[in-house]
Amino acid sequence: MKISNLMNKDFKLVEKKKIWYLIPACIVAAAIVAMIIFGCVTGSPLNLGMDFTGGYTVNVKLSTKLTAATYNSYKDEIVEVIENLTDENGKPYGIKVSAVQSQGSNEDASIYVKYKAVASDEVMEDINTAVQEALQDKIFKIVPVITSENGTNYQVDYVNFPLVNSTYEAKVKEIQALATANGITANGFSLDDTGKIVTFDVSAANETFGTALAETVTISDKYSGQAQKGDIISATVSGELLTNALLAICLSIVLMLVYIAFRFEVSSGVSAIVALLHDIFIMFSFMAIFHIEINSTFIAALITILGYSINNTIIVFDRIRENVKSLYYKNSTATFIANQSIKETLVRSLNTSITTLITIAMVAIIGVPSIRVFALPIIVGLLAGTFSSIFISPSVWALWKDRKKKSPRPDHHEKKVKEGKAAVA
């Protein structure tokens, strides 16, 4: 269907306001159900990030070993070490990594990790130390290449790391102890001239021995990198951040209400604020339904959408104000004026939203994870803002204005308005 044909149709969007109100109501209801379910299963209705709950960071310095090719393997290993960390009794701490990102390059390259607090500050001190030690032991290591012939002749190649005598002798004892534990004999040990290749024979290797050998011959290399404790975000700081964020949102809404009421009229201001509240609830509902982490980045996205959405809404109300003053609409109902104003601004609103949406979508698709976290709620906010500026705010304004009238304006006048505008066109 051509745009011109669409614009010639009779718009009655405001009359279907119950449908437009029902759609976001269903989304919010689904979010409430999701929050109840997540609250029962995880103990937290919303997935609040460490910006609000408090948490800790650790910086794993890998230097030149961290490249684009090795990043994913290092990241997965670091997350596994932290989330599977247990106490002395073998009980998991239950740590969940909130974010992982690469920092620096070449000699300064590192992986920066954030994780939420799982205990009191005093207990977390011990847990953080355990995290640091576990990363130091399991990430910074030299893993040799192991080959065998017929499962009896083994060769352990340390590639670029020549062994000193003490390290070689220690590894021989460890391999012999491993073999004895598996009921086999290991002998004939030798170290080649380069000091990098260890060869030995076993009597009858089994699968358990072959699996455990890789861990046994691995050498901890504490000089190849370092896991350092990072920043601490306390509950007090996170509480202040949440309070300031809510204050900023409330203050911006109040100021928008004052400006729109002054620039247009009170009914326009209230209708615009209802639309903004709709956008806020929809964005929060999206985060709740999919249990996406809510952090300071989300608050920034929320405030961004408030500014964008009010711009679209003001465009509609600006046209409403012009039409109210126009002689064409002198005896028309507010519902009719709202429908006509939506019709006249629809193409502009859709073009603006689609253009912006394409740009943000590209950022979400090809952007880095930290940018993607910002882009996803922006996309939801764009859709919600476009919906509210077209369907919510004009219908609320029309409902307000028509209820204040003592008697409805005659419908035959509206028919004449349509015929008159068509003749002029």
Side-chain angles (χ1 to χ4, degrees):
M1 180 182 293
K2 294 182 178 180
I3 296 296
S4 58
N5 294 336
L6 178 64
M7 292 298 100
N8 289 329
K9 288 187 172 294
D10 188 15
F11 272 41
K12 291 188 177 181
L13 298 179
V14 176
E15 287 85 343
K16 299 177 182 178
K17 54 182 173 291
K18 291 183 179 179
I19 298 176
W20 313 136
Y21 298 163
L22 183 62
I23 293 173
C26 290
I27 296 175
V28 173
I32 293 173
V33 173
M35 289 171 64
I36 294 173
I37 295 173
F38 283 122
C40 295
V41 175
T42 66
S44 177
L46 293 173
N47 184 11
L48 295 177
M50 58 182 292
D51 291 337
F52 298 119
T53 61
Y56 301 84
T57 64
V58 62
N59 196 24
V60 184
K61 295 187 175 182
L62 294 160
S63 187
T64 54
K65 295 191 296 298
L66 182 61
T67 62
T70 63
Y71 171 74
N72 286 330
S73 61
Y74 273 122
K75 181 190 72 172
D76 294 342
E77 190 173 8
I78 289 170
V79 171
E80 182 180 1
V81 169
I82 295 176
E83 294 189 344
N84 294 332
L85 191 64
T86 60
D87 58 19
E88 61 272 12
N89 298 320
K91 182 180 178 180
Y93 286 119
I95 302 174
K96 293 297 180 182
V97 173
S98 299
V100 182
Q101 66 184 64
S102 176
Q103 291 186 337
S105 60
N106 299 325
E107 297 294 335
D108 298 323
S110 64
I111 293 180
Y112 187 70
V113 185
K114 298 180 180 179
Y115 56 93
K116 298 178 184 178
V118 294
S120 63
D121 291 344
E122 293 77 11
V123 177
M124 282 304 301
E125 277 296 321
D126 296 332
I127 294 177
N128 292 333
T129 301
V131 167
Q132 184 182 10
E133 293 175 351
L135 290 172
Q136 197 69 46
D137 292 340
K138 297 182 180 181
I139 301 299
F140 302 109
K141 56 191 178 183
I142 298 168
V143 182
V145 179
I146 303 174
T147 56
S148 67
E149 295 180 7
N150 303 322
T152 56
N153 307 112
Y154 278 86
Q155 178 176 291
V156 181
D157 187 355
Y158 284 92
V159 192
N160 297 320
F161 187 82
L163 303 179
V164 296
N165 288 334
S166 58
T167 302
Y168 167 68
E169 292 170 359
K171 288 302 171 186
V172 169
K173 292 180 180 179
E174 291 177 14
I175 295 171
Q176 288 175 329
L178 175 65
T180 301
N182 284 273
I184 59 180
T185 302
N187 52 34
F189 287 87
S190 63
L191 183 65
D192 74 344
D193 295 338
T194 65
K196 300 176 184 177
I197 300 177
V198 180
T199 55
F200 59 93
D201 300 323
V202 297
S203 55
N206 54 42
E207 184 177 348
T208 303
F209 174 79
T211 303
L213 180 61
E215 184 176 350
T216 301
V217 297
T218 297
I219 298 175
S220 177
D221 184 16
K222 62 182 180 181
Y223 300 106
S224 65
Q226 189 176 13
Q228 294 181 333
K229 292 182 184 178
D231 301 326
I232 299 175
I233 300 177
S234 67
T236 302
V237 174
S238 60
E240 292 177 355
L241 179 61
L242 179 58
T243 301
N244 291 337
L246 294 176
L247 181 61
I249 293 173
C250 293
L251 184 60
S252 63
I253 289 177
V254 171
L255 292 176
M256 287 179 188
L257 175 60
V258 172
Y259 171 76
I260 297 173
F262 174 77
R263 189 70 177 82
F264 297 91
E265 54 184 352
V266 175
S267 58
S268 299
V270 173
S271 302
I273 296 309
V274 170
L276 291 181
L277 293 175
H278 162 274
D279 301 339
I280 292 174
F281 284 130
I282 294 301
M283 290 180 71
F284 268 106
S285 298
F286 170 78
M287 305 298 279
I289 292 172
F290 296 99
H291 209 57
I292 300 174
E293 183 178 278
I294 297 176
N295 50 32
S296 56
T297 303
F298 171 73
I299 300 300
L302 188 63
I303 296 175
T304 301
I305 287 301
L306 291 183
Y308 181 87
S309 179
I310 199 66
N311 178 63
N312 266 355
T313 303
I314 285 177
I315 290 172
V316 177
F317 280 125
D318 187 56
R319 184 54 59 91
I320 288 175
R321 182 181 59 179
E322 292 178 2
N323 288 338
V324 167
K325 296 178 180 179
S326 173
L327 294 177
Y328 275 115
Y329 303 98
K330 183 177 180 181
N331 295 315
S332 299
T333 62
T335 297
F336 180 77
I337 294 175
N339 280 329
Q340 290 298 108
S341 300
I342 294 171
K343 179 179 178 179
E344 293 167 6
T345 58
L346 182 61
V347 174
R348 184 189 188 284
S349 297
L350 290 179
N351 286 341
T352 303
S353 298
I354 292 173
T355 303
T356 309
L357 188 61
I358 291 173
T359 304
I360 299 298
M362 291 300 100
V363 172
I365 294 171
I366 65 177
V368 297
S370 57
I371 298 298
R372 194 175 297 124
V373 171
F374 177 76
L376 287 177
I378 286 286
I379 291 174
V380 176
L382 283 172
L383 297 175
T386 302
F387 180 88
S388 64
S389 64
I390 296 174
F391 300 105
I392 301 296
S393 54
S395 62
V396 172
W397 176 85
L399 184 64
W400 174 301
K401 301 295 285 188
D402 282 341
R403 283 191 174 184
K404 290 179 66 177
K405 293 185 177 69
K406 294 182 179 180
S407 60
R409 304 282 176 87
D411 291 337
H412 71 273
H413 176 75
E414 295 172 356
K415 183 177 181 181
K416 291 181 178 180
V417 169
K418 295 175 186 176
E419 293 174 352
K421 290 180 74 67
V424 171

